[in-house]
Amino acid sequence: MNIHRLRRLFSRALHASLATPLVLAGCGTEGSTDLTGYSEIACTDQGLAVSDLTLTPAPDFVQLRYIGTNGGQPMGTYTSSSSSGEACATATDVPACQEALVNATVTAGFHHVCLDFCTDAFLVTTRGDEVKTHATLAELQQVLGTVDTEQEAVLKTFAAGYSLLCGKKEHGAVKKNADGSFNVIGTKGYACGPGTELTQHVVKVTASGEVLEQEKRVLEKGDPNCNIGRRPVGLQVAEACQSPEALGRYFADAAHLEAASVHAFLRLRDELELHGADVGLQDAARRSAMEEVQHARVTDRLARRFGGTPQRPVVAELPPRSLVDVALENAVEGCVRETYGALLAHHQALHARDLEVREAMVRIAEDETRHAALSWDIDQWARPRLSAQEREALREAQKRAVALLREEVLVPLDASIITEAGMPTPEAALALLDTLEQDLWA
């Protein structure tokens, strides 16, 4: 779902229920590069394209893969991204070649990026019976030879550790220079948490493969208050938080659920890969997990400020689920609860009397709106892959979730949670739900 549509809907819901002047949270930039002459980088549905590469010697097939670690431990499997050509097309022993291709992996690669977990990238090629990985910068340069196409320059920039986002020139673009070199725009970092920032970089890639940084500017500074997440399957019931203040109990519960949602998004990302979802959806789930880490830290700090002690989430390890089970959870936790949670965050950003809470919710509202939009994108991707009976089950589950939410918001809140934390009264909460039900859940 287009995130701008959600923002407009949220603005209308808040205006209709509260008649309050609205300026919803959003993330601006501090300026960016002149994009004249630049083209968007070439991508497929699976990510960065590898079709415009003049490799030496010419392979039958090339594929970009990722290998990752979580908490310093190898994940054990790789993720396939975009590919070009026909695997094992000229092999004399096709089954052996195909088996070797399936098993081709590395322990480390290029584009090494660590946020809350680490990922490396590598190329794998087939040529005749040979299956080969290209995991270091030197190996990549050897197979690329002279950098003489835009996508080769993009791949070299990516390999050097820059991120390139498809469909957005400010985060991923390329142009050829008069001297045969290329300028590529990429980014580094992320803007979520104290001391963080998303930076834009312009690099020059020479014919010999040198990557020379020309410009750097800050696109977005990290908000120190980077919150409302989805509950993971297998989440164990936590002990009740003991705090003399209602605000301490409220934020302790919030911190517990935010930390639990990290597990939910990491599991979601793995299950999206299992069921063949686009890499864009997988990457968005992974980014959401990273953002939920920051949300948990912020709400933990608020909880302790008000005398609460958040409980660490305990999530049982369960086997991967079927597509319909993933879609059912997404319909409830994402399209209903997370969407309403994002709207609540905007309400809190506007109405919390406590300055620290209000500032925290400004950034959290934007993140959660993006998470809600992801939920609807996953729903749109999954539904055509389900049977008519399974789609009807999704509709019924969503209806039940909305009905349960209506019951939950009727529970009276402590006055401090309404005034200091900005939560709506039960009457206002029902009005917010009415707007969402008419426009999204009908």
Side-chain angles (χ1 to χ4, degrees):
M1 174 180 290
N2 189 306
I3 192 170
H4 300 298
R5 180 190 168 197
L6 269 183
R7 290 195 186 109
R8 289 193 297 269
L9 174 59
F10 289 170
S11 180
R12 189 164 66 250
L14 289 165
H15 183 78
S17 64
L18 304 171
T20 304
L22 300 179
V23 181
L24 293 189
C27 300
T29 67
E30 295 187 359
S32 60
T33 299
D34 180 1
L35 299 175
T36 303
Y38 282 91
S39 302
E40 291 184 5
I41 60 173
C43 294
T44 68
D45 290 341
Q46 289 74 43
L48 196 65
V50 293
S51 56
D52 189 28
L53 307 179
T54 54
L55 305 185
T56 306
D60 300 321
F61 174 80
V62 59
Q63 186 174 59
L64 180 63
R65 292 180 175 179
Y66 296 86
I67 187 76
T69 59
N70 191 355
Q73 299 298 315
M75 295 172 73
T77 58
Y78 62 81
T79 303
S80 299
S81 184
S82 54
S83 59
S84 178
E86 182 181 351
C88 303
T90 61
T92 58
D93 187 343
V94 173
C97 176
Q98 291 175 337
E99 182 179 1
L101 179 61
V102 169
N103 295 326
T105 189
V106 298
T107 56
F110 50 76
H111 189 74
H112 180 74
V113 175
C114 285
L115 295 170
D116 290 292
F117 44 88
C118 302
T119 58
D120 288 25
F122 65 101
L123 288 183
V124 61
T125 57
T126 71
R127 183 173 183 267
D129 290 307
E130 181 184 52
V131 176
K132 192 172 182 180
T133 58
H134 313 270
T136 68
L137 290 173
E139 289 170 349
L140 177 63
Q141 185 58 48
Q142 183 178 13
V143 74
L144 284 177
T146 301
V147 176
D148 50 14
T149 72
E150 288 187 347
Q151 204 62 6
E152 288 179 351
V154 167
L155 184 59
K156 282 290 296 188
T157 304
F158 172 79
Y162 298 90
S163 296
L164 296 110
L165 182 65
C166 302
K168 192 170 184 180
K169 287 185 181 180
E170 292 86 351
H171 293 191
V174 60
K175 72 174 181 179
K176 189 170 184 177
N177 299 319
D179 63 359
S181 65
F182 297 87
N183 273 17
V184 181
I185 296 174
T187 64
K188 283 188 175 182
Y190 62 98
C192 185
T196 64
E197 60 185 18
L198 177 68
T199 54
Q200 181 191 68
H201 303 258
V202 179
V203 301
K204 180 178 180 179
V205 183
T206 67
S208 62
E210 289 184 282
V211 179
L212 309 171
E213 187 161 309
Q214 308 291 296
E215 301 175 29
K216 174 185 175 181
R217 54 176 47 83
V218 175
L219 279 180
E220 187 179 342
K221 287 188 177 294
D223 193 299
N225 305 304
C226 215
N227 194 10
I228 315 237
R230 61 168 66 203
R231 301 168 299 185
V233 62
L235 178 64
Q236 306 299 300
V237 176
E239 296 180 9
C241 170
Q242 301 300 317
S243 172
E245 293 189 49
L247 282 170
R249 295 190 297 272
Y250 169 79
F251 281 113
D253 289 340
H256 174 262
L257 291 175
E258 295 288 4
S261 67
V262 177
H263 297 267
F265 277 115
L266 289 175
R267 180 184 179 92
L268 177 63
R269 185 257 168 224
D270 290 343
E271 290 180 325
L272 287 172
E273 179 193 357
L274 175 67
H275 295 295
D278 294 345
V279 167
L281 293 178
Q282 298 176 38
D283 287 347
R286 183 173 61 179
R287 176 186 177 183
S288 298
M290 180 179 69
E291 291 168 341
E292 296 292 4
V293 170
Q294 298 297 330
H295 298 177
R297 291 171 181 166
V298 170
T299 47
D300 183 282
R301 185 171 66 248
L302 288 170
R304 295 179 190 279
R305 175 190 158 197
F306 292 113
T309 303
Q311 301 293 315
R312 292 179 61 86
V314 177
V315 182
E317 291 191 14
L318 299 172
R321 297 167 297 174
S322 65
L323 177 59
V324 65
D325 287 338
V326 174
L328 279 167
E329 181 193 61
N330 183 71
V332 172
E333 294 297 322
C335 297
V336 175
R337 301 191 69 90
E338 198 162 36
T339 300
Y340 178 65
L343 177 54
L344 279 185
H346 281 292
H347 187 283
Q348 292 179 270
L350 289 165
H351 294 282
R353 191 164 66 185
D354 185 279
L355 178 61
E356 185 180 1
V357 173
R358 189 166 67 248
E359 289 181 345
M361 298 314 297
V362 167
R363 179 53 188 261
I364 287 167
E366 178 68 9
D367 288 345
E368 294 299 341
T369 303
R370 188 165 51 251
H371 299 177
L374 170 62
S375 300
W376 288 97
D377 288 342
I378 292 171
D379 184 75
Q380 185 178 27
W381 167 80
R383 282 182 184 266
R385 293 163 172 80
L386 302 177
S387 67
Q389 184 177 4
E390 290 169 336
R391 290 194 294 271
E392 181 60 31
L394 257 64
R395 283 189 286 270
E396 290 302 317
Q398 205 168 69
K399 288 180 182 178
R400 290 193 298 271
V402 173
L404 179 59
L405 200 53
R406 284 188 171 279
E407 294 178 10
E408 292 176 359
V409 302
L410 288 175
V411 177
L413 298 175
D414 185 273
S416 65
I417 296 176
I418 294 173
T419 57
E420 301 303 313
M423 285 288 284
T425 64
E427 294 77 13
L430 283 176
L432 295 176
L433 281 172
D434 285 343
T435 301
L436 292 185
E437 187 162 17
Q438 292 167 10
D439 288 82
L440 288 177
W441 302 326

